[in-house]
Amino acid sequence: MAKKKVVVEAAWAEPFKIKVVEPIKMTTKDYRLKCVEEAGYNTFLLKSEDVYIDLLTDSGTNAMSDRQWAGMMMGDEAYAGSRNFYSLWDNVKKYYGMPYFVPTHQGRAAEHMVSQILIKKGDYVPGNMYFTTTRLHQELAGATFVDVIIDEAHNPDSEHPFKGNVDLKKLDKLVKEVGADKIPYICIAGPVNMAGGQPFSMQNLKDVQTFCKEHKIKMWFDATRACENAFFIQEREKGYADKTIPQILKEMCSFFEGLWVSAKKDLMVNIGGILATRNKKVYEKARNMVVVYEGLHTYGGLAGRDMEAMAIGMEEMVEYDNIRMRVKQVEYAGKQLEKHGVPIVRPIGGHAIFLNANKFLSHLPKEQFRAQTLASEIYIESGVRAMERGVVSAGRDPKTGDHRYPKLELVRLTFPRRVYTQAHIDVMVEAIVKVYKNRKNVKGLKMTYEPEYLRFFQARFDRLK
Ligand code: F0G
C-alpha cells in the first residue's frame, strides 16, 4: 500500500513530537531596521540571532531525529575506510539505485566535479531552468547553459502540474543549432528550485530519455529534493498513486547516468553531499578528484558522524508520513497567503512559497530590485527572513555584462524540515499580509556593492528616499 492509511486526518499534522528546543530572540521593529541597514538590505548578511523565523533556506537548517543524533555518536572517524561511509554507500545503492558514489562536503562540490569531468570548453548544457551554483560550475568549466524548461515554468500563474518538465522542442532546437556532440549531458533538477519548487513528471523523463538516446546525450540528475518530486508524482501522475515513495524515487533515478545531491535538504542533515553514478569511468575520475578538493574518497570533506546522519536521514526522507507533512506544511502556508490575495507562484511548490514580487511591488521599476526590497521589508515588519530569487540571484550575462532579468522576480520563504510550527507560519502570514496592505508606501533599493560570483550572497544595497 503506497498511500499509507492516514491516521491523523489534519492536513499535515507532524509525525513526531518535540524533544529539544532552541530559544529564539523576539526583537522590535526599530531594532530590525538597524540590523537590516547594517546588513546592506541583504538578508544573507543578517546575523542569525537577529532573525525570529528563519525561512532563508531549507538547506542545512533541518531538525535531525533522535535516531540521527544517536547515529552521530556512532561516528567512525578513521581517516580511511570509515564504517559510516559503507552504511551510507549501501543506502545510496538502495534508495538512488546508483552503484558508485563519492561523498562530498555539500552539493556544489559534487556539481564542480561533475562539470569538470563531463564538460569541454565550448560545450552547451541544457537544463530545466538554472540553479545558481549549478550553472556557475557549468560556466566555469567552459559551457554555456541553455534553459529548456517548458514555457509554463516562467509564468507564475500557470497551473500546469509539472512545470519542471523539459520542452523537447527547445531541446531539439538546441541540438539542431549546436550539434549533439557539443552537448555532454542534460541537467535535470526536480523539483525545480528557481521555478518555485515545481516537479517534473515521469512521462517527461521517459520522453527526454528517448530523445537523448537517439542523440547520444547523457542525462544527469540534480536529486537534491528528489523525494518531494516523487511525492508530487504520487499525488498527480496517472499510474503512480499505488507506488511507494522509494519505488518512485528509484524509477526516477533509473533514467540517469548519474546524480548529485545536496544532503542538506531531503536528507535532513546540516552538512553533506553526494555524487553517485552508474558510469564506472566517471566514478573513477570523481574518486580521484575528490582527494584533491574534498578529502579521501571515503569521507569527502565530512566527518564519519556526518555520513552516519546522512545514511539514517536517507531512510527517513522516503517515509510517507514525513514527506507528506513536509509538502503539506508548505501548502498550508501558501493557502493562508492566498486567502488574503497575496500573489504567489502557483501551484504551491515542494519546499517553499514564492511571492511574486513583480505583482506585489508593481509600483517599483524593475531596476529597483523588487524582490530584494520585498525580502528586506518582510524582515523589518516581522523578523521573518526570506531570500531574493530574482535579478540579483540571476546575476549578469557573462558575455554582455548586463543584468539578467528573469521573468520570475520572486521572494522565497523556504521551510526547514521539522523545525517550525503552525503558529510560526501564522505569524509569517500575518506579517506578509501587513506588508501587502502597505505595499504602495514601500521604497525601492539601489545596489552599492557587487561581488564577482554569486552576487546575491554578498551584494549590498541602500534604500531609496
Ligand atoms: N542544487 C539545488 C537544486 C539546490 O537547491 C542547491 C542548494 C544546490 C544544488 C547546491 O547545494 O548548497 O549543498 O552546495 N540550494 C540552497 C538553497 C543553497 O537555499 O536553495 P549546496
Side-chain angles (χ1 to χ4, degrees):
M1 257 290 282
K3 290 203 175 174
K4 220 169 64 186
K5 207 165 130 241
V6 177
V7 182
V8 182
E9 285 295 347
W12 53 273
E14 291 87 347
F16 54 82
K17 57 185 175 177
I18 297 165
K19 183 143 63 179
V20 178
V21 296
E22 176 184 343
I24 40 182
K25 191 161 88 182
M26 319 281 272
T27 53
T28 63
K29 198 165 173 176
D30 282 345
Y31 180 81
R32 293 191 295 269
L33 264 167
K34 230 175 68 224
C35 294
V36 80
E37 200 183 313
E38 274 171 22
Y41 295 88
N42 184 346
T43 52
F44 277 103
L45 300 177
L46 287 165
K47 288 188 187 140
S48 147
E49 63 176 9
D50 294 328
V51 172
Y52 175 44
I53 299 171
D54 202 350
L55 306 181
L56 184 75
T57 177
D58 61 337
S59 182
T61 52
N62 309 293
M64 293 207 293
S65 67
D66 51 0
R67 263 190 80 215
Q68 283 177 296
W69 279 110
M72 297 282 280
M73 291 303 292
M74 303 300 284
D76 171 2
E77 306 306 341
Y79 189 90
S82 160
R83 179 177 62 235
N84 315 114
F85 165 76
Y86 291 102
S87 41
L88 181 55
W89 195 356
D90 284 346
N91 277 356
V92 169
K93 290 180 204 158
K94 182 169 172 192
Y95 295 107
Y96 295 102
M98 293 284 166
Y100 307 118
F101 138 82
V102 287
T104 60
H105 81 281
Q106 54 183 83
R108 70 196 68 181
E111 289 173 342
H112 165 66
M113 291 193 285
V114 170
S115 307
Q116 292 295 329
I117 293 168
L118 298 176
I119 293 170
K120 289 189 308 301
K121 205 165 182 301
D123 279 348
Y124 292 81
V125 178
N128 57 345
M129 204 176 263
Y130 81 103
F131 183 70
T132 53
T133 56
T134 320
R135 182 178 65 188
L136 180 60
H137 281 298
Q138 291 159 355
E139 288 174 351
L140 289 172
T144 303
F145 170 82
V146 181
D147 186 4
V148 293
I149 204 166
I150 57 172
D151 284 343
E152 285 87 342
H154 293 280
N155 173 3
D157 301 319
S158 159
E159 291 287 343
H160 195 296
F162 293 107
K163 281 168 124 176
N165 281 354
V166 169
D167 185 333
L168 283 152
K169 287 193 292 304
K170 290 185 189 173
L171 189 57
D172 188 46
K173 185 164 169 272
L174 178 69
V175 170
K176 290 205 168 101
E177 274 169 20
V178 306
D181 56 335
K182 286 259 178 239
I183 304 175
Y185 64 101
I186 178 169
C187 163
I188 299 183
V192 182
N193 194 347
M194 304 300 276
Q198 307 293 336
F200 56 67
S201 68
M202 202 72 88
Q203 186 56 50
N204 188 247
L205 283 189
K206 289 177 191 159
D207 297 342
V208 173
Q209 188 188 46
T210 306
F211 181 93
C212 285
K213 270 198 171 148
E214 190 186 317
H215 295 275
K216 299 199 173 52
I217 298 170
K218 296 172 171 186
M219 291 169 69
W220 275 74
F221 185 20
D222 180 341
T224 291
R225 297 182 183 83
C227 286
E228 291 162 18
N229 204 104
F231 182 80
F232 283 125
I233 287 178
Q234 192 191 53
E235 291 261 292
R236 297 178 186 169
E237 190 162 354
K238 209 166 148 251
Y240 286 91
D242 291 327
K243 297 226 162 103
T244 64
I245 298 295
Q247 282 169 341
I248 299 172
L249 177 63
K250 207 131 170 219
E251 186 178 337
M252 279 159 52
C253 295
S254 72
F255 293 91
F256 296 92
E257 173 179 286
L259 55 84
W260 63 88
V261 178
S262 165
K264 301 169 76 175
K265 283 80 162 175
D266 267 359
L267 278 67
M268 294 169 285
V269 290
N270 306 117
I271 197 75
I274 287 168
L275 190 170
T277 177
R278 56 184 94 253
N279 181 331
K280 194 156 186 223
K281 284 205 178 106
V282 172
Y283 163 65
E284 275 166 6
K285 283 189 185 159
R287 201 168 68 141
N288 198 218
M289 258 183 111
V290 80
V291 295
V292 181
Y293 291 103
E294 297 284 286
L296 196 71
H297 60 278
T298 59
Y299 74 84
L302 296 165
R305 55 181 170 271
D306 297 324
M307 292 190 283
E308 193 59 31
M310 281 166 69
I312 298 169
M314 218 179 268
E315 287 161 13
E316 294 178 3
M317 77 180 181
V318 295
E319 280 171 13
Y320 177 71
D321 291 336
N322 217 358
I323 186 67
R324 172 177 178 269
M325 177 255 154
R326 193 283 182 287
V327 175
K328 294 290 173 185
Q329 185 189 45
V330 175
E331 185 183 281
Y332 169 82
K335 283 187 169 160
Q336 296 306 306
L337 288 168
E338 283 186 315
K339 267 192 206 157
H340 294 91
V342 175
I344 66 170
V345 173
R346 296 279 316 159
I348 294 166
H351 65 307
I353 298 300
F354 289 72
L355 305 175
N356 181 351
N358 278 341
K359 265 197 190 165
F360 201 119
L361 296 181
S362 56
H363 67 289
L364 296 182
K366 68 177 197 276
E367 293 75 17
Q368 292 184 13
F369 305 104
R370 290 167 178 154
Q372 189 77 29
T373 304
L374 182 53
S376 55
E377 289 298 321
I378 291 168
Y379 172 73
I380 294 166
E381 182 56 47
S382 60
V384 170
R385 170 154 72 169
M387 181 195 288
E388 193 263 9
R389 292 275 82 154
V391 59
V392 184
S393 295
R396 290 180 186 273
D397 186 304
K399 289 196 183 107
T400 65
D402 295 337
H403 288 303
R404 299 192 251 216
Y405 280 102
K407 287 204 183 93
L408 300 176
E409 177 73 10
L410 309 174
V411 168
R412 189 182 75 172
L413 300 149
T414 331
F415 293 78
R417 295 159 190 79
R418 309 191 288 209
V419 171
Y420 291 114
T421 66
Q422 185 165 340
H424 285 121
I425 293 176
D426 292 341
V427 168
M428 173 211 87
V429 170
E430 241 172 68
I432 292 170
V433 169
K434 207 160 161 199
V435 177
Y436 189 58
K437 287 193 173 140
N438 188 39
R439 63 190 180 278
K440 293 281 182 285
N441 298 321
V442 170
K443 302 270 195 300
L445 296 173
K446 72 164 194 270
M447 200 187 280
T448 57
Y449 168 73
E450 179 177 1
E452 190 180 350
Y453 297 121
L454 302 174
R455 61 182 183 173
F456 54 96
F457 285 131
Q458 289 141 354
R460 299 185 68 84
F461 301 81
D462 261 348
R463 217 177 192 182
L464 293 162
K465 298 275 178 294

